[in-house]
Amino acid sequence: REWPLNQNLSQQTISEEFVLYFLGTISISCTLLYTAIVKILKIYDNSQVTNALSTQVGTSETIRLLNKRSVHNLSNNDKDLKFKEWLAGLIDGDGCFQLSKKGYASLEITMDIRDERALQAVKNIYGGSIKLRSGVSALRYRLHSKKKLVDLIYDVNGLIRNPVRLIQLNYICVNYDIALKYPEKLTLDNGWFSGFFDADGTVTIKSTDWQLSISASQKTSELLTPLVELFGGYVYIDRGGQGSFKWYVTKKEDILNLIEYFKKYPSRSAKNNRLHLIPKIYEFKGMKAHIAPSESLLAKSWNILINKWKNYE
């Protein structure tokens, strides 16, 4: 009768020791996890979260804060590459990096008042402000927050191609201890031209023979010459543009190839409305709508199409 009692007592003692050992293991594991998390966050230099962990915060709250930080980093590093390339092209055309004597950096992008949608796309990601420029039909986007500007610099670094813009960017990179990256050769599999077109490109149609053309202008030919190899056309000195250079495309085949490019890398300016009308214009011209009798339904349809073109609809 004594034996079962001693057996149960031994089992009870072993069970209590096991429970104490198990709970002690959990306690040590939680402590190690807490220490590791705090060290990780100190590496990220997030004082707000680290300070929160330095108090008596539960393990679930600790993990929640760490997950929040991880998600934030993922969203910053996972921006669409096409957008970054487009933004680099836009900055190369209509942008300007500035650094004051006191070391304050900023970015400005000035566009036509019709192109608020394009500037709003930039603002939605990086913040900043969009204001109407007094006396002219133009909008100016301005970004001066150091954190957001650094985010933008990391996104477009290695994608900027304009030599003037590279020099401006380099001043800021030196100021912020960021290594400047140079771009690789431009290819068709790159959204840079879409942004550059939104900045310095034009799409027009002559009222005499209704010939379509797509062009872009610059003070030098450096950014325009590669476009001939990629999209066709030619570069010439535009005497009417104060001695600037112009890349010019008129061949139907080249223009339709450009339309295919813009399907993959869409324009975000008001010019995109005209790009969408180009296939329809070629279709109507094929039906001789542009020379149809003025009272015919075909001619009226042509006039409706041209009015949409004029109004960027």
Side-chain angles (χ1 to χ4, degrees):
R1 291 182 181 180
E2 294 293 333
W3 175 255
L5 182 60
N6 292 338
Q7 184 183 35
N8 291 338
L9 181 61
S10 300
Q11 288 177 346
Q12 181 179 0
T13 303
I14 293 172
S15 298
E16 288 174 350
E17 288 175 354
F18 175 77
V19 169
L20 289 173
Y21 172 79
F22 178 71
L23 291 175
T25 304
I26 292 176
S27 177
I28 293 171
S29 300
C30 290
T31 302
L32 290 174
L33 175 61
Y34 166 81
T35 304
I37 290 173
V38 171
K39 286 183 178 180
I40 290 170
L41 290 174
K42 282 183 177 179
I43 292 174
Y44 278 109
D45 195 25
N46 190 335
S47 58
Q48 182 179 0
V49 179
T50 307
N51 290 337
L53 291 174
S54 298
T55 60
Q56 294 181 355
V57 180
T59 304
S60 60
E61 178 68 8
T62 300
I63 295 174
R64 185 190 70 79
L65 290 170
L66 182 58
N67 285 339
K68 183 178 180 182
R69 175 74 185 188
S70 300
V71 170
H72 177 69
N73 285 340
L74 178 63
S75 64
N76 276 347
N77 295 330
D78 199 39
K79 291 193 187 99
D80 187 0
L81 177 60
K82 291 181 181 180
F83 180 84
K84 296 176 187 177
E85 292 169 342
W86 170 84
L87 177 59
L90 184 72
I91 292 173
D92 273 338
D94 277 344
C96 179
F97 289 108
Q98 298 176 333
L99 183 66
S100 71
K101 293 181 180 180
K102 294 183 178 181
Y104 298 111
S106 63
L107 167 69
E108 290 186 359
I109 305 174
T110 303
M111 300 186 74
D112 189 274
I113 195 170
R114 288 187 294 252
D115 299 327
E116 181 179 357
R117 174 175 168 266
L119 295 179
Q120 193 65 49
V122 182
K123 182 182 176 183
N124 288 344
I125 293 179
Y126 302 103
S129 62
I130 302 174
K131 295 183 179 180
L132 185 66
R133 290 191 61 188
S134 60
V136 291
S137 299
L139 299 172
R140 174 180 290 166
Y141 167 81
R142 191 168 188 270
L143 177 63
H144 56 81
S145 163
K146 179 180 178 180
K147 181 182 181 303
K148 294 295 185 179
L149 183 59
V150 168
D151 287 343
L152 184 146
I153 289 173
Y154 276 115
D155 283 346
V156 301
N157 196 10
L159 303 175
I160 296 293
R161 300 177 183 276
N162 189 330
V164 175
R165 217 66 66 234
L166 275 170
I167 293 173
Q168 295 172 351
L169 178 59
N170 185 58
Y171 284 128
I172 297 178
C173 285
V174 170
N175 190 62
Y176 290 157
D177 196 24
I178 299 173
L180 179 69
K181 297 179 182 179
Y182 290 91
E184 297 179 357
K185 181 180 179 181
L186 186 63
T187 66
L188 286 171
D189 191 23
N190 190 302
W192 177 88
F193 175 71
S194 177
F196 180 70
F197 171 80
D198 281 344
D200 288 340
T202 56
V203 52
T204 58
I205 185 170
K206 288 183 180 179
S207 59
T208 52
D209 56 3
W210 302 109
Q211 182 187 57
L212 286 162
S213 66
I214 293 178
S215 61
S217 299
Q218 274 281 296
K219 292 182 179 179
T220 67
S221 62
E222 189 167 351
L223 294 177
L224 305 179
T225 301
L227 304 181
V228 177
E229 179 182 349
L230 296 176
F231 303 112
Y234 56 93
V235 176
Y236 69 96
I237 297 177
D238 184 11
R239 295 179 181 178
Q242 297 180 345
S244 64
F245 289 82
K246 177 177 277 191
W247 167 73
Y248 196 68
V249 176
T250 58
K251 286 178 62 176
K252 179 180 178 181
E253 180 183 358
D254 292 338
I255 289 179
L256 290 179
N257 285 336
L258 274 162
I259 297 302
E260 292 303 312
Y261 167 85
F262 283 118
K263 287 180 181 178
K264 185 176 181 180
Y265 301 101
S267 159
R268 289 175 166 84
S269 68
K271 301 164 193 173
N272 191 44
N273 296 334
R274 286 189 169 183
L275 293 173
H276 282 306
L277 294 176
I278 286 178
K280 183 64 67 175
I281 287 177
Y282 279 131
E283 179 185 347
F284 271 52
K285 283 187 69 177
M287 295 186 291
K288 308 296 182 182
H290 58 299
I291 56 174
S294 59
E295 297 301 321
S296 66
L297 294 177
L298 189 58
K300 291 180 181 179
S301 298
W302 172 259
N303 290 333
I304 292 173
L305 183 61
I306 295 302
N307 284 332
K308 287 184 177 180
W309 177 276
K310 291 178 180 179
N311 296 322
Y312 289 86
E313 295 179 357

